[in-house]
Amino acid sequence: MLGVVTNFVNRWLFSTNHKDIGTLYLMFGAFSGILGTCFSALIRLELSQPGNQILGGNYQLYNVIITAHAFLMIFFMVMPAMIGGFGNWFVPILIGAPDMAFPRLNNISFWLLPPSLFLLLSSALVEVGAGTGWTVYPPLSSIASHSGGAVDLAIFSLHLSGISSILGAINFITTIFNMRGPGMTMHRLPLFVWSVLITAFLLLLSLPVLAGGITMLLTDRNFNTTFFDPAGGGDPILFQHLFWFFGHPEVYILILPGFGIISHVVSTFSKKPIFGYLGMVYAMLSIGVLGFIVERLVSHKSKGKIDPVFLEWFVGFSEGDGSFVVSKSRLFFIINQKEEKVLHRIRTELGFERLIHLFNGNLVLHKTNHRFELWLQDWNLSSSRIGKEEKKVTPFPPNKLPSLGNNGWLSGFTDADGCFNAVQTKDSRYSLGWRLRLRFILDQKSEKDLLEKVKTFFGSGVKVEDRVRSTDESCRDLHHMYTVGLDIDTRAYFTAATMIIAVPTGIKVFSWIATMWGGSIEFKTPMLFAIGFIFLFTIGGLTGVILANSGIDIALHDTYYVVAHFHYVLSMGAVFALFAGFYYWIGKISGLQYPETLGQIHFWIFFLGVNITFFPMHFLGLAGMPRRIPDYPDAFAGWNAVASYGSYLSVLGAIFFFYVVYKTLTGDVRCGRNPWETTPDVSPTLEWMVASPPAFHTFEEIPAIKD
């Protein structure tokens, strides 16, 4: 018995064999995928109808679930399965290497992931959880908004996951450059090996920047540094630049290994060599290079100071109480103070009793431009107590407006120019605390008219932004950041740079189609997933080109259109490639072949499920539904219901997939050396020349590639 345990521990815990470590990665990815799918099901259950559903109005919990879903799928499902699983299993075999260059490093790369996953799941259980979104933007992720240890645990989780990926990347780069068999030149490398090599370089270059950014956030939270705190001379936008230096290459890290898998599958089942091999290689290299170029620029914002005399436009308010912001054709004076103090001053000093609009003793929900605002009233109430009814606060009649002597309530402005408006908003969109904003909304015919009038009375130092941005609005990589106040030239540059990435991606899509053209296509399960990938990834790519236009993105930013876009390239890109690779290689990995009929049923359930889930989100986004918000107006109910039904079908597909895995591994259908063979003893790649499953030591002697 002791010998069995010792053998088990030595083989699996202390393993240095690339195939065993690859299997561990695949199992870990499957487990994390189940967790991530469960979280996504909770999201769709909450969004299945307007109003509070299963979470009972706990909006912070909703955002914790959103964050956990993203981290699990990206860092613990797609990356470990694609790069760690299929990469470890097949890169050494495909290049004719006996193993990875650093087998022990390979072991620690994997075993850093379970503690990392444990830390991430722990973060959801500490205090109120980490409800920051996967982007972890301050000030939402700062100590003021997330005061417990949850965000710190999530940061440590990312550190461990990042170390794992960096070590793995070093291992892959060294292996591919130094351990290719005789005759295996770089221009003979299989496309999957190329994709893993480029991915490894992206990981190696981008992850240290993420590590630096989140370490700075950690010190901001715990050691009173102010890297991202304007009060100490920092800038929260700096974090966005650091994050997206990693974040944009990361999306290509997720999809590039999938490109390699799809190239192998399409070539095999079209019974043709891949069309334009060199073009495919250099297209992937171009994607890797452009993925970095798109992000590099520091945003510019105009700054200025307003003469304090003009700030005293309310009796009792001064420069320390807030600041003016100009947005489009509206002027805002935003007051940042503790709610009780502001409420008292509004009621007593300013005579703003009419602003306090009572409705059944609760907050009144007010809808503007498809976004919700909570009209101020009693502090720290939940909007879940409002019910379905909605009322608006009417503007003040002229005789009720606060006065500043003979010049009216705002020097030089009259009642015809705008109206007062007080809104109590959350300190973030993620339900931590409340913040009162008292606004004078100034509507003019044009932005030019507004700026002229403002400069007349306030001087030239008024801060001008393309869009009002306060601590309760998150912003997004520079093409993820069109709304943070970039000047027009910068926006034009990033629009062009982002759209150029569509060129090498288009080369790959057309090369796959050209490979299939004139081929003898066999529609086995891997090929179904590959064709599904090409079709759906292309849709996701086209919506990406639309979002690359800064003018359009300013309207669609942070709406469900963006959610639909990145799920089409990930849920139907990376995940479809993952399934294609599984069905393509499971016979080689296990020595047992999957049941073809069940595999095809799985494809159709999953294909229908994800499309019914995510296609309606384009409509919701165009209609203005913001993302990361757990409640919405009744107007969005129809498509949300459809999307939720689609997600239930996707979950059914995921359950069915594990049934297919069970039937495969308990079946007795042995897999030959090459189940896809068309010409005896001829194979395009080396893995089909060895036994299924391969021996513990794959090659008795290093294979030589000859002309």
Side-chain angles (χ1 to χ4, degrees), residues 440-658:
F440 173 74
I441 300 182
L442 179 68
D443 292 312
Q444 296 285 306
K445 290 179 181 176
S446 70
E447 188 162 339
K448 185 180 177 184
D449 293 343
L450 169 70
L451 289 176
E452 285 178 2
K453 197 154 190 176
V454 167
K455 284 174 182 175
T456 303
F457 299 107
F458 293 88
S460 58
V462 177
K463 180 180 177 184
V464 179
E465 294 186 354
D466 285 334
R467 175 184 179 193
V468 171
R469 176 176 52 79
S470 57
T471 55
D472 61 325
E473 284 191 359
S474 293
C475 317
R476 301 279 175 267
D477 100 314
L478 284 185
H479 68 229
H480 299 247
M481 290 165 57
Y482 285 137
T483 59
V484 304
L486 302 178
D487 61 75
I488 191 70
D489 294 330
T490 307
R491 292 211 303 264
Y493 166 76
F494 284 107
T495 294
T498 305
M499 293 179 81
I500 286 170
I501 292 187
V503 175
T505 314
I507 290 169
K508 296 194 73 64
V509 169
F510 285 115
S511 294
W512 289 321
I513 294 170
T515 304
M516 290 187 280
W517 186 267
S520 177
I521 301 175
E522 199 174 359
F523 292 103
K524 300 273 188 172
T525 306
M527 188 60 167
L528 288 179
F529 273 104
I531 294 170
F533 169 96
I534 295 167
F535 171 54
L536 298 173
F537 179 81
T538 302
I539 293 175
L542 290 172
T543 57
V545 171
I546 291 166
L547 289 169
N549 291 274
S550 60
I552 299 174
D553 185 68
I554 285 169
L556 297 179
H557 178 77
D558 264 352
T559 68
Y560 266 84
Y561 195 91
V562 179
V563 177
H565 156 66
F566 68 69
H567 280 90
Y568 260 78
V569 294
L570 292 178
S571 283
M572 309 174 198
V575 175
F576 268 51
L578 208 54
F579 283 132
F582 173 83
Y583 286 110
Y584 184 60
W585 279 319
I586 186 60
K588 183 59 60 181
I589 291 171
S590 67
L592 298 162
Q593 191 64 321
Y594 69 91
E596 183 61 41
T597 306
L598 294 183
Q600 297 205 12
I601 292 170
H602 168 230
F603 167 77
W604 286 110
I605 293 174
F606 200 69
F607 181 85
L608 288 172
V610 290
N611 277 289
I612 295 169
T613 302
F614 296 112
F615 201 78
M617 291 185 187
H618 294 101
F619 310 143
L620 291 170
L622 288 169
M625 181 173 170
R627 55 190 284 214
R628 294 178 177 171
I629 306 289
D631 195 2
Y632 52 86
D634 292 353
F636 300 139
W639 288 122
N640 269 296
V642 172
S644 289
Y645 285 125
S647 77
Y648 308 150
L649 195 57
S650 301
V651 170
L652 178 65
I655 295 167
F656 191 81
F657 168 70
F658 284 100

Side-chain angles (χ1 to χ4, degrees), residues 190-211:
L191 287 171
F192 178 65
V193 179
W194 265 113
S195 71
V196 171
L197 178 63
I198 295 164
T199 301
F201 271 108
L202 292 180
L203 283 166
L204 199 61
L205 293 169
S206 66
L207 275 167
V209 180
L210 174 71

